[in-house]
Amino acid sequence: MSGATLILLALALPLVGAIGIAVTGRWEDLREGVTLTTAGALFLTVLAIWGQVSDGKEVALTLLPLLPEVPLAFRVEPLGMIFALVASGLWIINSIYSIGYMRGNKEHAQTRFYICFAISLASTMGIAFADNMLTLFVFYEALSLATYPLVTHHGDEEAKRGGRTYIGLLMGTSIGFLLFAVLYTYGETGTLDFTPGGIMAGKIPEGVAAVLLVFYMYGIGKAALMPLHRWLPGAMVAPTPVSALLHAVAVVKAGVFSVVKVAVYIFGIDFLQTLPTSDLILGIAGFTVITASLIAIRQDNLKRRLAYSTVSQLSYVVLATFILAPLSVMAAALHIAAHAVAKITLFFAAGSIYTAAHKTEVSQLDGIGRRMPWTMGAFAVGALSMIGVPPAAGFLSKWYMLLGAHAAGQWFALAVIIASTLLNAAYFLPILHAAFLKPLSSEAQAHPHGEAPLPIVVALTMTAGLTVLLFFWSAPVVELASALAGMKP
Amino acid sequence: MIAQHLPALQIVLPLLAAPIVVLAGSARFAWLFSVAVCWAAFAVSIGLLAQVMQGGEISYLLGSWPAPWGIELRVDLLNAFVLLLVTGTAAIVLPYARRSVRIEIAPEQQGFFYCMLLLCLAGLLGIAITGDAFNVFVFLEISSLSTYALVAMGRNRKALTAAFQYLIMGTIGATFFLIGVGLLYMMTGTLNMADLAERLQPLHGTRPVLAAYAFIVVGMALKLALFPLHLWLPNAYAYAPSVVTAFLAATATKVAIYVLLRFTFTVFGADFAFADQPMSLLLFVPALLAIFAGSLVAIFQENAKRLLAYSSVAQIGYMVLAISLATAAGLSAGIAHMFNHALMKGALFLALGCVFYSIGSVAIRDMAGIAKEMPWTMAAFVMAGLSLIGVPLTAGFISKWLLLQAAFELGLWWLGLLIVASSLLAIVYIWRVIEVAYFQPRPEGRVAAREAPLSLLLPTWVFALANVYFGIETSLPVTVARGAAAALFGAGG
């Protein structure tokens, strides 16, 4: 198949799947079958695209002229490849998990849930393969809207409030800041194509570009830079599979993915080095890393703790990008993948605990490791990856980040990364300690329970395995990430 | 043969059909006949647009009386587009009318209702197509008088006061316009627009011409509801029957904007308006105020129809703002938004019509939880609402894109900021309705609503899908708007 057909397929498959889910909604098993088939087919498609890219072929598609001058166009480049692989691969595992979770908790409106999930994935593919800023913006907005019904799934007052923060912050920033910045860029440069080396240098004066940079970074609200991070903890009202795939992988990674894209292909790393606000963004990212970790320590609700951990980890990517060294840009790309597999594992575990033991708070987890060894074992792997302990994937990206920061002489970034590693340990290790070493509370002893349903256990074991696998078999991802940073691996 | 006479047919069809509808007496026949006429008019306007796009401007001499003396119908890209917009809206809205009218209008009035609607259509089309300044006034009165009657047919007794308010304001506007045209006639001795444009050239510095322009602009500002002359609009939209609101919101103000454009660019010339007179500023400030005041007031409305009416005030502000930039890019943004806004408001008001059909109210409070009972109606509402906000892949996004681009072209980055800030207000008022409809439980005492029948849903969805279609396939509105804008600037020299 030609590259263009494959891209079209990657965009269309989830949408066709969504229709299929709607049609088969009455027969649960069939509906879940459609979801799994679609997810599998999508992953195979993305793999096929990867095959073509590795062969050095150019994979691109121009769909239609959205505006006379700027078409809806797609092109596969290394970063998008990583993002698409991660999102589509984890969708399969997440679907297995969803089946266990949604049935185990007897959630309502499951058909709507799976439909929105499929549409979200289609939007994610659009973001990953977008060849210009307009296309990216289109799918970025589509993703916000498609995930809104998922965030507000429970339909109660809390969901409504969470949803309001979610859509308000995400769309407020994207229309208020990002659209403005995109249009301004277009007005001055006459193009929005993602171009290696950027499109701004020489066309936009540095002072203006410095301001635009701030607009871009806060316009991409999904990257959750403080103080515009509130939507992410708010989104935790969603069912756990949503938190796991969307708010640990697809949506938030779409945010930092866009940040890297903008930095590398719109501004250009060299041009960024001349801008005074690059350091400002670096500072804000560093601040977010530390502050979000400090907040995470104080959260007793497990999902909220994980959410703040995500806020912190997202800013790692921004921080690494704005160290503005090739090695650190590569680390940023690597971290998108490494954090994805680890964080989805952690959320899977949180959902598993909720399904099996109906526990949501960290303080209730004493001794739970003995009852749910698989879940808590996977949780331990995820947590170690977050801290950056080998043999987990998180170690690799942190390692390259440190190397990059050192090479660029960014002592601030270096200090932030090291300090946050300690903080990560401070909010993850107590959970492991309580789960494995503390005795069961009397209240827990009165309510016996075992492991979560099988699909859940299978899913979280798989992602934990991936987290380790990515450490030992990192070459493919490293290769793509190096290509992005313009380095020979 | 017929192709030659399309311009005349465009107005004659609905004008002749109106009395026939009354004479026939039966409401069912009236409806059927009106639908047929509207679709025929729509076909005519498509034919006209095709002719103009192929062969350029059309000049049609009524009764073959030669131009400056007889009445000339003149169709160029701009008014062909407006004709298409007006007839297209009528063609979609009228099939919707049957069931909606049946519950909202007293049976003995239904025949008159369709008659008035056809007259209103004829008036709007006449304004758009004629090349004669006085003729504009005549058709303006035809459309206005029928509109007053249509608004007054609303079920709520307040519709009467709303219609009266509109009557007073509208008459003042029309009178101002007539005074302006009279002054022009006094100075030049002609009423033909093309002729006027020529003869006004040497007279541009004179006071009567200036006064004429001022009267025409203020008169039209009243008709197009430019802030702060918009006061008639919210009540008229809120209390008029659903069909009327949808039809007027999509067409009437757009036609008034067309007249403003026609006189400013074709008759007086862009240089006169924007270089000699401070028209840019005079339009810019009220437009900006309209955008913010309209959006802010919309946020606090308790009635969904009023909310959308205030949103219309704001949206008209966007169009006038775009025009006030006085560049080809700005003008084409304004013209494109005329079209796109008609699509959004058409869909939104028709969706509210469905809601009214089912629960007999459009108070936001009463719409609590309605999305569960009327999923299709509310889905259309959400789609059009997203278009209003300017989400990508909807028509509204294209408007916003063009408008911002026009602002940046002039280096007005702060204006760009204001525009995006104002669209955040649109998120707030649209989301208010969405949250109530989707998340609140049905209030005590309201019986479960039923989804609107297909004959109401279908037109609503045609509009809603048009928002998406023209958000993806943008070549028609964008090329036509750009062509029309270029032509207007060309005509003005």
Side-chain angles (χ1 to χ4, degrees):
Chain A
M1 255 189 283
S2 78
T5 322
L6 284 173
I7 294 186
L8 196 62
L9 209 57
L11 295 168
L13 264 176
L15 293 179
V16 174
I19 297 170
I21 294 164
V23 172
T24 56
R26 225 169 301 162
W27 305 278
E28 285 191 0
D29 292 334
L30 196 60
R31 180 187 67 196
E32 262 76 301
V34 173
T35 299
L36 285 173
T37 316
T38 313
L42 178 65
F43 186 57
L44 288 179
T45 310
V46 174
L47 279 181
I49 295 176
W50 190 20
Q52 298 224 346
V53 173
S54 325
D55 291 348
K57 280 189 206 144
E58 183 168 292
V59 183
L61 165 72
T62 302
L63 209 52
L64 49 97
L66 191 59
L67 288 152
E69 304 84 4
V70 193
L72 212 54
F74 305 90
R75 178 186 307 276
V76 182
E77 48 77 57
L79 186 64
M81 198 65 246
I82 297 180
F83 185 35
L85 277 171
V86 169
S88 63
L90 291 180
W91 188 29
I92 304 178
I93 305 178
N94 191 273
S95 302
I96 300 171
Y97 181 86
S98 294
I99 295 167
Y101 183 91
M102 298 303 277
R103 291 189 181 181
N105 289 301
K106 300 190 179 59
E107 292 278 355
H108 74 123
Q110 292 193 19
T111 305
R112 184 184 74 194
F113 173 89
Y114 288 110
I115 291 175
C116 290
F117 230 111
I119 298 175
S120 304
L121 256 292
S123 314
T124 309
M125 292 301 123
I127 294 173
F129 294 139
D131 188 34
N132 59 46
M133 203 55 215
L134 176 69
T135 311
L136 193 145
F137 183 78
V138 165
F139 287 98
Y140 182 97
E141 292 291 68
L143 185 58
S144 302
L145 290 169
T147 48
Y148 177 76
L150 293 170
V151 171
T152 56
H153 184 82
H154 292 306
D156 51 13
E157 192 56 33
E158 197 193 350
K160 187 173 98 180
R161 234 178 307 119
R164 195 185 283 173
T165 325
Y166 186 77
I167 208 75
L169 268 178
L170 288 187
M171 282 191 70
T173 51
S174 68
I175 290 182
F177 299 142
L178 186 57
L179 180 61
F180 174 85
V182 170
L183 265 155
Y184 193 91
T185 310
Y186 178 69
E188 297 296 309
T189 62
T191 177
L192 285 175
D193 291 344
F194 290 128
T195 315
I199 56 174
M200 282 189 178
K203 291 194 177 135
I204 296 183
E206 279 160 26
V208 179
V211 179
L212 270 186
L213 180 64
V214 178
F215 269 85
Y216 269 111
M217 291 305 127
Y218 278 113
I220 303 169
K222 292 191 175 115
L225 273 182
M226 278 186 173
L228 297 178
H229 65 286
R230 288 280 303 278
W231 63 268
L232 186 54
M236 291 302 129
V237 297
T240 304
V242 176
S243 309
L245 185 61
L246 296 175
H247 299 119
V249 182
V251 174
V252 289
K253 292 296 147 48
V256 288
F257 170 80
S258 307
V259 166
V260 180
K261 280 280 237 198
V262 166
V264 175
Y265 295 117
I266 297 286
F267 283 85
I269 297 295
D270 293 337
F271 186 53
L272 278 177
Q273 275 164 349
T274 64
L275 300 183
T277 40
S278 293
D279 284 337
L280 177 72
I281 300 297
L282 185 78
I284 293 170
F287 173 82
T288 308
V289 168
I290 301 291
T291 315
S293 298
L294 287 172
I295 298 174
I297 293 177
R298 297 163 44 109
Q299 301 298 321
D300 192 36
N301 182 292
L302 183 56
K303 274 179 81 179
R304 284 184 74 83
R305 186 177 287 196
L306 292 179
Y308 276 104
S309 157
T310 304
V311 173
S312 161
Q313 295 278 334
L314 288 175
S315 275
Y316 268 130
V317 179
V318 182
L319 184 82
T321 310
F322 278 84
I323 289 173
L324 300 178
L327 210 54
S328 67
V329 172
M330 182 206 130
L334 204 55
H335 197 61
I336 288 182
H339 175 247
V341 284
K343 191 45 80 54
I344 200 172
T345 310
L346 292 171
F347 272 112
F348 278 172
S352 171
I353 295 167
Y354 174 73
T355 309
H358 303 290
K359 301 240 162 40
T360 55
E361 309 301 309
V362 173
S363 52
Q364 300 169 328
L365 299 183
D366 290 357
I368 203 164
R370 262 159 281 159
R371 282 180 171 177
M372 307 180 69
W374 287 95
T375 298
M376 291 318 290
F379 189 92
V381 173
L384 291 179
S385 181
M386 288 292 133
I387 302 168
V389 180
F395 168 76
L396 278 183
S397 48
K398 254 184 194 170
W399 176 249
Y400 283 115
M401 253 179 242
L402 287 169
L403 284 182
H406 181 259
Q410 281 284 6
W411 305 114
F412 167 75
L414 205 68
V416 166
I417 297 168
I418 292 173
S420 80
T421 300
L422 295 176
L423 289 171
N424 288 342
Y427 61 80
F428 276 123
L429 291 183
I431 301 178
L432 297 181
H433 175 255
F436 288 109
L437 300 178
K438 282 197 186 165
L440 279 168
S441 69
S442 54
E443 190 266 336
Q445 272 168 348
H447 299 91
H449 64 84
E451 265 292 0
L454 187 65
I456 293 184
V457 176
V458 169
L460 57 83
T461 311
M462 282 166 82
T463 53
L466 275 178
T467 311
V468 179
L469 188 71
L470 198 58
F471 176 82
F472 288 110
W473 191 57
S474 62
V477 186
V478 170
E479 206 171 288
L480 285 169
S482 321
L484 166 79
M487 305 186 307
K488 290 273 162 278
Chain B
M1 170 58 193
I2 283 191
Q4 253 179 344
H5 292 290
L6 285 184
L9 221 53
Q10 183 80 92
I11 24 180
V12 169
L13 264 179
L15 204 57
L16 284 185
I20 297 178
V21 158
V22 179
L23 291 178
S26 132
R28 193 179 161 71
F29 170 79
W31 170 72
L32 216 59
F33 191 67
S34 309
V35 171
V37 168
C38 285
W39 277 92
F42 185 40
V44 169
S45 74
I46 293 176
L48 278 175
L49 184 63
Q51 281 183 11
V52 171
M53 285 176 99
Q54 248 170 26
E57 204 169 302
I58 304 171
S59 166
Y60 181 88
L61 306 174
L62 267 188
S64 301
W65 290 80
W69 301 284
I71 290 175
E72 184 193 14
L73 304 183
R74 228 185 158 96
V75 190
D76 61 7
L77 211 47
L78 175 63
N79 55 1
F81 196 45
V82 174
L83 292 173
L84 183 78
L85 176 67
V86 173
T87 53
T89 307
I92 302 175
V93 164
L94 263 166
Y96 179 101
R98 186 174 65 104
R99 297 195 80 138
S100 180
V101 163
R102 211 188 274 165
I103 64 153
E104 290 189 35
I105 312 276
E108 69 277 8
Q109 288 180 349
Q110 286 176 10
F112 291 111
F113 176 87
Y114 289 110
C115 165
M116 287 297 152
L117 205 59
L118 286 176
L119 276 181
C120 184
L121 176 66
L124 293 174
L125 293 175
I127 298 173
I129 206 170
T130 185
D132 182 288
F134 184 73
N135 218 221
V136 170
F137 171 74
V138 173
F139 283 115
L140 189 68
E141 283 299 281
I142 293 180
S143 75
S144 300
L145 291 173
S146 50
T147 308
Y148 307 143
L150 285 171
V151 172
M153 284 183 186
R155 268 212 321 198
N156 194 313
R157 285 179 63 85
K158 284 183 190 154
L160 292 175
T161 44
F164 187 68
Q165 203 181 5
Y166 188 16
L167 173 88
I168 300 291
M169 302 278 271
T171 307
I172 295 174
T175 312
F176 268 48
F177 180 76
L178 184 61
I179 295 173
V181 173
L183 284 169
L184 289 182
Y185 186 63
M186 180 185 88
M187 292 302 288
T188 61
T190 185
L191 286 168
N192 181 287
M193 288 185 194
D195 203 28
L196 268 174
E198 236 167 75
R199 297 196 189 197
L200 277 174
Q201 284 293 342
L203 301 172
H204 271 166
T206 60
R207 188 152 295 227
V209 171
L210 192 59
Y213 186 56
F215 271 111
I216 290 173
V217 168
V218 174
M220 277 304 124
L222 257 166
K223 295 298 287 186
L224 66 84
L226 178 61
F227 184 89
L229 303 176
H230 66 283
L231 294 171
W232 58 268
L233 186 142
N235 278 335
Y237 280 17
Y239 297 118
S242 306
V243 179
V244 176
T245 310
F247 180 67
L248 289 183
T251 57
T253 47
K254 315 291 181 293
V255 171
I257 289 181
Y258 160 77
V259 175
L260 185 68
L261 287 178
R262 181 58 82 203
F263 273 84
T264 301
F265 286 93
T266 309
V267 176
F268 287 90
D271 286 342
F272 171 79
F274 295 109
D276 303 349
Q277 312 301 333
M279 257 329 263
S280 276
L281 195 66
L282 287 177
L283 291 178
F284 181 83
V285 174
L288 207 57
L289 288 173
I291 291 172
F292 279 94
S295 305
L296 281 173
V297 176
I299 292 174
F300 297 102
Q301 293 307 309
E302 294 304 324
N303 178 307
K305 257 173 120 181
R306 273 182 87 85
L307 181 151
L308 292 183
Y310 277 106
S311 149
S312 279
V313 173
Q315 298 291 325
I316 290 163
Y318 284 114
M319 293 168 221
V320 177
L321 182 78
I323 295 165
S324 80
L325 296 178
T327 59
L331 198 53
S332 54
I335 295 170
H337 194 48
M338 275 164 65
F339 181 79
N340 291 339
H341 178 243
L343 301 180
M344 308 164 192
K345 280 288 150 66
L348 288 168
F349 277 119
L350 287 188
L352 285 187
C354 293
V355 172
F356 189 87
Y357 182 86
S358 286
I359 63 171
S361 161
V362 286
I364 295 178
R365 192 166 15 94
D366 296 333
M367 289 170 69
I370 203 160
K372 278 198 193 69
E373 294 144 13
M374 307 179 66
W376 290 99
T377 303
M378 287 317 291
F381 187 92
V382 170
M383 270 166 79
L386 292 177
S387 182
L388 191 72
I389 294 169
V391 172
L393 298 187
T394 62
F397 178 69
I398 306 301
S399 299
K400 207 138 282 173
W401 181 276
L402 294 175
L403 181 55
L404 281 170
Q405 215 175 301
F408 288 142
E409 197 184 272
L410 292 172
L412 299 172
W413 56 269
W414 52 271
L415 180 62
L417 275 184
L418 287 177
I419 294 168
V420 289
S422 67
S423 38
L424 299 184
L425 297 175
I427 301 186
V428 177
Y429 61 71
I430 287 296
W431 227 262
R432 251 193 84 204
V433 180
I434 291 179
E435 276 190 356
V436 169
Y438 280 87
F439 293 112
Q440 281 188 9
R442 192 172 79 209
E444 297 279 329
R446 178 163 76 68
V447 281
R450 304 241 323 256
E451 181 57 281
L454 206 60
S455 58
L456 297 188
L457 274 182
L458 221 52
T460 312
W461 270 87
V462 169
F463 263 128
L465 290 176
N467 274 294
V468 177
Y469 179 80
F470 287 110
I472 296 173
E473 172 52 50
T474 54
S475 53
L476 174 74
V478 175
T479 39
V480 170
R482 285 197 176 154
L488 282 183
F489 268 98

